[in-house]
Amino acid sequence: MDIKDFYYDLPQEMIAQTPLSDRTASKLMVLNRKTHEISHKHFYDICDYLNPGDCLVMNNTRVIPARLYGVKENSGGKIEFLLLKRLNIDTWEVILRPGKKAKVGSRFIFGDGLLCAEIIEVRDDGNRIVKFEFKGVWEELLDKLGEMPLPPYIKEKLEDKNRYQTVYSKIEGSAAAPTAGLHFTDELLEKIRQKGVKTAFVTLHVGLGTFRPVSVDNIEDHHMHSEYYEVSKETADIINETRKTGGRIVAVGTTSVRTLESVAAADGTIPVQSGDTQIFIYPGYKFKAVDALITNFHLPESTLLMLISALYDREHIMKAYEVAIAENYRFFSFGDAMLIE
């Protein structure tokens, strides 16, 4: 399957630069896979499409202020660190900009010496493993020195950094938000529960690989980035009970999909499990756990667009994107939502 099969032309002005003041006011495109009908709603209508006995599965990861600005120890040259993955108490995998000359042993200073870092390994993909030196509590220091790592296509400053967190975010560790969840409020979730819909949470710490373009022509040659996930006993029990009683598993966001499909047995049973996943879902994949998906509109030629094309099919998804552009939907992280049911 060729990468060009997943290309579409998006006018720049359709990339949402700021979140709406009301999380639930986004547009909602509903794709019915049985009738192939496309409906145009608002996100606050999502309750109408969830049935008693269904289970809504959300990713409760929390974005950390993962962007650090500092200087090289000897030259004073400016550097930007993007924290990708915590390996232990003081060691992280990071992206450096500019980073091509940063070799093992290179040292950097942040916050006038409050935080120092030394490169201890250069990975094949260009990422670095760095060891930090600091006094005090790491989370407090990061909160003081770090900035929210908004995606590169967002140029506007984010006034309220909580708008790049879901209302149910809990476990710190993401370099990007699971953006399909940004549309929910506590009130909407309560309304959903009142209807008899169960809610369950997985954790997947989103890496920046989410935004990396696929650089190969044949998508099957693409090497997926690794992300850490956790599925608790409580969540596994809720999902397995839902499946037994005939309810649907409705995933919120592609990260929830990737978590569930990484751990699911052939019959869709979900075990208690944690680890790293590199699952790459593209057309031809047979879903084991997920019945429906709430998601945002994704970048052209991205692995996320391939994932939703696997859940429905490429032709209908690309057609839906044409409709979304014609109907002035807002795209990407702060944009509108889609339900594939």
Side-chain angles (χ1 to χ4, degrees), residues 76-121:
K78 291 183 178 178
I79 193 77
E80 177 189 325
F81 274 33
L82 204 51
L83 305 178
L84 288 185
K85 191 175 185 182
R86 193 173 193 172
L87 304 178
N88 61 46
I89 195 92
D90 58 3
T91 309
W92 284 76
E93 180 178 356
V94 304
I95 293 175
L96 270 64
R97 282 197 292 235
K100 287 184 179 175
K101 295 179 182 175
K103 297 181 172 63
V104 171
S106 297
R107 290 181 59 82
F108 302 91
I109 298 167
F110 305 88
D112 296 324
L114 287 173
L115 183 65
C116 299
E118 182 174 328
I119 295 175
I120 58 174
E121 184 188 335

Side-chain angles (χ1 to χ4, degrees), residues 14-79:
M14 300 190 76
I15 300 173
Q17 293 296 315
T18 54
L20 298 179
S21 56
D22 176 0
R23 288 177 184 260
T24 68
S26 319
K27 290 182 183 177
L28 174 68
M29 177 184 281
V30 181
L31 304 185
N32 186 309
R33 287 183 289 165
K34 289 178 182 166
T35 64
H36 303 308
E37 185 184 357
I38 296 176
S39 305
H40 302 287
K41 302 291 181 178
H42 286 90
F43 200 81
Y44 48 71
D45 299 315
I46 193 71
C47 215
D48 298 339
Y49 295 90
L50 300 172
N51 306 318
D54 286 349
C55 179
L56 198 63
V57 182
M58 295 163 275
N59 180 6
N60 65 3
T61 188
R62 188 165 176 82
V63 186
I64 59 171
R67 185 167 272 134
L68 289 165
Y69 295 99
V71 294
K72 194 166 183 187
E73 189 174 68
N74 296 327
S75 67
K78 291 183 178 178
I79 193 77

